[in-house]
Amino acid sequence: MKHLQDLPSWRELWKHFDATKGLHMREMFEQDPERAQRYWLEVGGITLDYSKNRITDETLELLFKLAREAGLPERIKQMFHGEKINETENRAALHIALRNRTNSPIEVDGEDVMPKVNHVLHRMGEFAHEVRSGEWLGYTNQVITDVVNIGIGGSDLGPLMMCTALKPFGHPRLRMHFVSNVDGSQLRDVLEKVHPETTLFIIASKTFTTQETLTNALTAREWFLKHAGEEAAIAKHFAAVSTNIKAVSEFGIDTANMFEFWDWVGGRYSLWSAIGLPIMLFLGEENFIEMLNGAHLMDQHFANAPLEQNMPVLLALIGIWYINYYGGGSHVIAPYDQHLHRLPKFIQQLDMESNGKQVTLDGQPVAHETAPIIWGETGINGQHAFFQLLHQGTHITPIDLIASLEKRSNLPGHHEILLANVFAQAEAFMRGKTPEEARAELTAQGLAAEEAEALVPHKTFSGNRPSNIILMTKINPRNMGSLIALYEHKTFVQGVVWGINSFDQWGVELGKQLAKTILNELTGKTAVQPHDSSTERLIRLYRNTNCSKTEGC
Ligand code: F6P
């Protein structure tokens, strides 16, 4: 396979970088009044303004050339045709099939996956209807009021993020709870709030082997049985979402209450599958389908639009420009919307678990950076916390500012303040403030020349700091579907250009393996084995602290 550093465009981009790195966006805007109009794209309900980036037409041309030389158009086709692009696990990556609203056949190993996708979607719809309408009754014939999703990683973050984002669309009777942490305090806090007679537990795990999820699920089951008494009641209060039918039935959940998905759905790409059951319960089938429609719209755009007008491709390539050439090692996701406060965490898993890789598809060490560190927070809160570093720190940190055009509440004045801040931050990142401007401001405030001069360096902003503005016409199921699909495809494009596999996650395994051994040592099941001196000392400290309370110690 061809490596990135061997591609002609990779070297041309380095030359171009050297020639343009001194350019300031301020001048680019001054010289080109059409810049915003040209670096602007709308897809469905999503508008991307990418004009405040350190790019010129030539930068973009070279980046598109890079994508072509890296084989992006072919790779997109392979993904959409169900080819096994997740090579280390010998699997397709077919989240697009889950929202394939045209229902055109997509084959894996010669079998069209659409009938089973539609079948599970239909079953989810029926189940959601029963729970929402109140037809589904608990073991004492009461309606369900609380849904507790027990899952972690992709089996938690997507449903939690969507239910939070789309709260105004939620069923008024249903309270949604999410338990992911094996620290018992999270489950205990939820169990204190809910009642066994009116609670539905969804055990969500692709593998149904994840230690944290199974431990929480067993504790929830014990808690439930303590109240309900008989095992027969479980069928009314426990559902499972998994690819592993055998493990689900061994756990004791009736497989009639199991919603299946398949190994070609990656955990972090699974909210469109049965993993989205909490979303469907909360929002209803129609809204869930709308979310799928929105994602499908972005899929169609991604598959068919030329690279030059392709939103996921643009976001990905501009990201690569900073990561690989400017050495920008992190990327901020800043939603200007309280209900989107879970979005940075969701995108963090999506991007970092997908592209946090150090070898190419052929097992060779990469000769360049891969995924940046994704972090973030609601933008308005970030402004009063970490934005200082973004404006005047020493790192180049690109940021996505995400907001809704439609007002999110009818409280007068709030939305305008929010949006004014989005636009002002992006302008400030781009323009900065020159020493002359700072000096003039200080002098106008009446400071003596010497005093003003001492402050000028502190009040100067270099500017030229990149941002993307992503505006949604409104935050609704359809636009959320499009937004998440946009980030999924952005991640995929970056993975393709870097020549890595975005769909495996071997890096999470080592810690899991070691934890199994250490758990036995902590509980006294096995003697403490030789470790490094630090690990051994920590294990002994824990045992000394808890021995009298721990069985077998
Ligand atoms: O450990 C990482 C991971 O495998 C993620 O990729 C996944 O989303 C999460 O754990 C949960 O896995 P499962 O759904 O199989 O419980």
Side-chain angles (χ1 to χ4, degrees), residues 152-155 205-207 210 267-268 349 353 505 508 512:
I152 196 164
S155 301
S205 174
K206 178 175 171 181
T207 54
T210 303
R268 51 197 174 274
Q349 186 204 13
E353 198 167 20
Q505 58 284 317
V508 300
K512 287 187 196 172

Side-chain angles (χ1 to χ4, degrees), residues 421-480:
N421 275 281
V422 176
F423 303 156
Q425 287 297 325
E427 192 175 19
F429 285 134
M430 184 277 285
R431 283 182 62 81
K433 190 183 280 179
T434 63
E436 294 72 36
E437 287 169 341
R439 190 172 296 114
E441 244 178 49
L442 290 163
T443 315
Q445 284 162 17
L447 263 74
E450 207 177 308
E451 230 179 322
E453 215 44 51
L455 279 178
V456 164
H458 302 279
K459 296 246 177 184
T460 297
F461 291 65
S462 58
N464 218 11
R465 301 194 174 217
S467 67
N468 294 307
I469 295 193
I470 297 174
L471 294 177
M472 301 162 82
T473 47
K474 53 171 80 167
I475 294 179
N476 60 16
R478 192 180 183 87
N479 287 343
M480 282 306 295

Side-chain angles (χ1 to χ4, degrees), residues 208-410:
F208 230 78
T209 57
T210 303
Q211 190 186 39
E212 296 86 341
T213 299
L214 293 190
T215 305
N216 280 328
L218 277 171
T219 306
R221 190 172 182 271
E222 259 170 44
W223 172 87
F224 175 77
L225 281 175
K226 215 160 73 192
H227 292 85
E230 33 177 304
E231 298 246 342
I234 286 183
K236 289 281 165 203
H237 294 268
F238 279 77
V241 177
S242 187
T243 58
N244 189 344
I245 305 183
K246 190 164 164 271
V248 169
S249 70
E250 277 167 14
F251 181 86
I253 296 181
D254 188 345
T255 45
N257 289 352
M258 173 181 164
F259 297 86
E260 200 191 350
F261 65 114
W262 309 275
D263 69 359
W264 42 261
V265 182
R268 51 197 174 274
Y269 299 87
S270 65
L271 70 85
W272 325 97
S273 72
I275 286 290
L277 186 61
I279 309 174
M280 198 193 271
L281 286 167
F282 191 46
L283 304 183
E285 186 179 9
E286 254 178 52
N287 281 322
F288 191 83
I289 299 285
E290 262 302 275
M291 183 188 84
L292 299 184
N293 287 338
H296 181 63
L297 188 146
M298 188 56 73
D299 293 344
Q300 291 301 298
H301 164 77
F302 178 54
N304 300 317
L307 298 189
E308 288 74 6
Q309 282 141 42
N310 196 312
M311 201 179 270
V313 172
L314 274 160
L315 275 188
L317 294 178
I318 292 171
I320 283 175
W321 181 230
Y322 298 120
I323 296 161
N324 295 123
Y325 294 90
Y326 280 92
S330 84
H331 188 105
V332 174
I333 304 292
Y336 276 73
D337 190 291
Q338 190 54 32
H339 285 162
L340 293 189
H341 77 272
R342 297 293 317 185
L343 186 67
K345 284 261 179 287
F346 172 82
I347 296 179
Q348 187 175 63
Q349 186 204 13
L350 173 64
D351 197 313
M352 292 171 74
E353 198 167 20
S354 295
N355 288 341
K357 307 287 163 66
Q358 58 184 4
V359 294
T360 52
L361 282 164
D362 57 0
Q364 298 301 311
V366 289
H368 45 77
E369 299 298 325
T370 56
I373 293 159
I374 303 283
W375 57 293
E377 161 64 289
T378 51
I380 208 81
N381 292 321
Q383 280 178 216
H384 296 273
F386 57 81
F387 270 42
Q388 164 64 37
L389 177 145
L390 305 185
H391 284 290
Q392 286 189 318
T394 50
H395 304 273
I396 290 237
T397 309
I399 181 167
D400 293 351
L401 306 153
I402 303 166
S404 160
L405 281 169
E406 187 185 77
K407 292 185 186 177
R408 287 283 268 166
S409 75
N410 50 14

Side-chain angles (χ1 to χ4, degrees), residues 53-67:
N53 280 294
R54 294 170 75 164
I55 52 171
T56 63
D57 288 352
E58 195 189 348
T59 321
L60 288 173
E61 262 167 46
L62 288 169
L63 286 168
F64 294 131
K65 190 172 168 199
L66 180 74

Side-chain angles (χ1 to χ4, degrees), residues 88-293:
T88 61
E89 294 181 311
N90 194 29
R91 292 173 183 168
L94 264 186
H95 37 288
I96 55 110
L98 301 167
R99 60 237 187 175
N100 173 21
R101 304 304 301 154
T102 55
N103 212 19
S104 53
I106 302 179
E107 290 189 359
V108 174
D109 291 330
E111 186 201 345
D112 179 11
V113 298
M114 289 316 296
K116 45 190 190 186
V117 167
N118 293 330
H119 176 66
V120 174
L121 199 55
H122 179 67
R123 283 191 58 225
M124 287 165 65
E126 282 180 343
F127 183 62
H129 173 74
E130 284 188 41
V131 173
R132 288 165 60 84
S133 66
E135 281 167 44
W136 183 279
L137 299 174
Y139 70 99
T140 55
N141 287 332
Q142 297 197 52
V143 296
I144 298 297
T145 57
D146 292 85
V147 177
V148 181
N149 188 75
I150 297 181
I152 196 164
S155 301
D156 166 71
L157 291 166
L160 170 56
M161 179 273 297
M162 276 294 183
C163 289
T164 313
L166 298 170
K167 190 163 174 269
F169 296 81
H171 192 290
R173 192 187 68 241
L174 292 178
R175 287 179 293 266
M176 307 302 290
H177 311 268
F178 292 84
V179 175
S180 56
N181 201 328
V182 76
D183 170 3
S185 44
Q186 194 185 20
L187 180 59
R188 192 200 50 215
D189 287 354
V190 169
L191 294 181
E192 273 171 13
K193 278 189 243 157
V194 301
H195 200 281
E197 292 168 48
T198 54
T199 298
L200 174 71
F201 291 93
I202 300 174
I203 315 302
S205 174
K206 178 175 171 181
T207 54
F208 230 78
T209 57
T210 303
Q211 190 186 39
E212 296 86 341
T213 299
L214 293 190
T215 305
N216 280 328
L218 277 171
T219 306
R221 190 172 182 271
E222 259 170 44
W223 172 87
F224 175 77
L225 281 175
K226 215 160 73 192
H227 292 85
E230 33 177 304
E231 298 246 342
I234 286 183
K236 289 281 165 203
H237 294 268
F238 279 77
V241 177
S242 187
T243 58
N244 189 344
I245 305 183
K246 190 164 164 271
V248 169
S249 70
E250 277 167 14
F251 181 86
I253 296 181
D254 188 345
T255 45
N257 289 352
M258 173 181 164
F259 297 86
E260 200 191 350
F261 65 114
W262 309 275
D263 69 359
W264 42 261
V265 182
R268 51 197 174 274
Y269 299 87
S270 65
L271 70 85
W272 325 97
S273 72
I275 286 290
L277 186 61
I279 309 174
M280 198 193 271
L281 286 167
F282 191 46
L283 304 183
E285 186 179 9
E286 254 178 52
N287 281 322
F288 191 83
I289 299 285
E290 262 302 275
M291 183 188 84
L292 299 184
N293 287 338

